[in-house]
Amino acid sequence: MSKLPTAFIERMKTQLPEAEWEAFFAVYEHTPYKGVRANTLKLARERLKTLFPVGAPVAWEGNGFYYDGEKVGAHPYFAAGLFYSQEPSAMCAAPMLGVQPGERVLDLCSAPGGKGTRLAADLQGKGLIVLNEPIPSRAKILLQNVERMGIMNAVVTCEYPEKLAERFAGYFDKIMVDAPCSGEGMFRKNADEALSEWSEENVRMCAERQSGILECATKMLAGGGKLVYSTCTFAPEEDEKQVECYLSAQTQMRLLAQEKLYPHKVAGEGHFAALFERLDGGRYELKPFKSVCTPASAKAYRAFEKECFKGYSAKNLHEVNGTLYSLPEGVFDFKGLNVLRVGLKLGEVRNGRFEPAHALAMTRGMSDAVNVANLGLEDGRAEKYLRGETVEDDGKNGWCLVCVDGYPLGWGKRVNGVVKNHYPKGLRTVK
């Protein structure tokens, strides 16, 4: 408790009943909670329980589990996108939005992607999700997580909310606003950064910025659509008072539900979430994007597809300087936006031959592939592959889908029993 800012301590003493003070401040003497969420685009929650040492289920997230092991980032199952590592209380917001397949969804402040990838899993590949992050370095991390989780129907953008609000009036059925906040729920998880950046002035600045973000989000919400606003802070100015001010300013919105998780009451670091519905307005359309692809590039890709896949055929081929993409059905015209990715990156055509992208591997299953190198955990070959090394594996020469226990990790090229590594250099683990 001595490390906590004095002003924060005093405010929490006015915010909580005196009978709860001891329990609340005692939280900061213990280690933070950790959790993982099953990626249902790739496997069911029950299957994850048989593969990975998860703990108790998270009460407010049907696919979430507590996890008390070491860092998961280097584990092959993490690389395969079987789960997302996420603080348990932060899992409460995305389920509130109730996303259904076929809807148009926006995650306005998305990086690193914990909530957005959950919303994409709810879509199950049907409909469209825009995942936006205005800070370029964070947007790149978001894109990596989108690829790892095998999401095919996303548009990843790097824009400020004001720019998007000009473009998408009344377009989205569901919007997530996980707003930048003062981060009081990070005092245990990321103590040095969260504590050094906290101040009463920062709380006020965050509240003002959140108000502007909510205004932009409301413009983009279709009539009858739903919006979730969430923070990982306890400050009333950013939580309950923000909701009050929002409802006063946006009379077309009504509050459906509101939840505040305190760390002395639940097994988590703390989170706030509120669900709103828009009562007026329509659902508007945007000009669709017309995909283009040269016949030569399409032919090269289809030849690869025929050689490597059983029954899979990418739709809406689009080419940009020799790089091919499979665009989501009905995607809007994205010209003029700072876009990192639209749909699925398939690969590149070089000298008339197609070379597959890592993202393509991450969307497939082992049963889709003609040629597979299925590596196990016990013999260490999966870890070798993730380090960028060659691995021994008998089978047909040529491109192969490299898997761990049946789940794709990336591409390799087998030559006489040796799989040459095509795992992206930027993702490789270090010994």
Side-chain angles (χ1 to χ4, degrees), residues 88-108:
S89 63
M91 298 180 189
C92 74
M96 291 178 70
L97 203 49
V99 166
Q100 299 297 315
E103 292 182 326
R104 300 195 294 236
V105 181
L106 168 65
D107 186 8
L108 187 54

Side-chain angles (χ1 to χ4, degrees), residues 236-391:
E237 296 94 326
E238 302 179 68
D239 294 348
E240 297 89 351
K241 290 182 181 178
Q242 186 71 259
V243 168
E244 292 175 11
C245 291
Y246 176 64
L247 291 172
S248 177
Q250 306 289 344
T251 56
Q252 74 276 38
M253 303 297 292
R254 69 169 175 175
L255 180 66
L256 299 179
Q258 182 172 292
E259 188 166 16
K260 193 160 191 169
L261 304 180
Y262 281 107
H264 65 298
K265 292 184 175 182
V266 302
E269 302 308 295
H271 218 77
F272 175 83
L275 172 66
F276 305 91
E277 181 181 29
R278 181 162 186 165
L279 301 176
D280 72 340
R283 183 179 189 263
Y284 299 100
E285 302 298 324
L286 293 173
K287 177 184 176 182
F289 183 81
K290 293 183 179 180
S291 59
V292 293
C293 184
T294 63
S297 293
K299 182 179 179 181
Y301 170 70
R302 295 301 183 193
F304 169 87
E305 202 173 56
K306 184 176 181 181
E307 175 188 348
C308 293
F309 294 129
K310 294 180 288 187
Y312 171 69
S313 180
K315 298 179 181 179
N316 304 322
L317 295 185
H318 180 61
E319 182 180 7
V320 181
N321 298 325
T323 300
L324 268 61
Y325 300 85
S326 174
L327 302 187
E329 292 285 348
V331 69
F332 51 83
D333 188 345
F334 47 85
K335 292 176 183 176
L337 292 175
N338 186 9
V339 173
L340 277 69
R341 179 66 50 82
V342 179
L344 172 62
K345 182 179 180 181
L346 298 172
E348 299 178 3
V349 177
R350 295 178 179 175
N351 299 320
R353 296 187 63 83
F354 180 80
E355 294 191 8
H358 178 68
L360 176 58
M362 300 308 290
T363 64
R364 298 297 92 215
M366 190 172 76
S367 61
D368 296 329
V370 171
N371 198 3
V372 175
N374 191 27
L375 313 179
L377 291 179
E378 300 301 323
D379 59 13
R381 288 187 301 157
E383 287 84 354
K384 285 183 65 177
Y385 175 78
L386 294 176
R387 291 196 296 265
E389 302 174 23
T390 59
V391 293

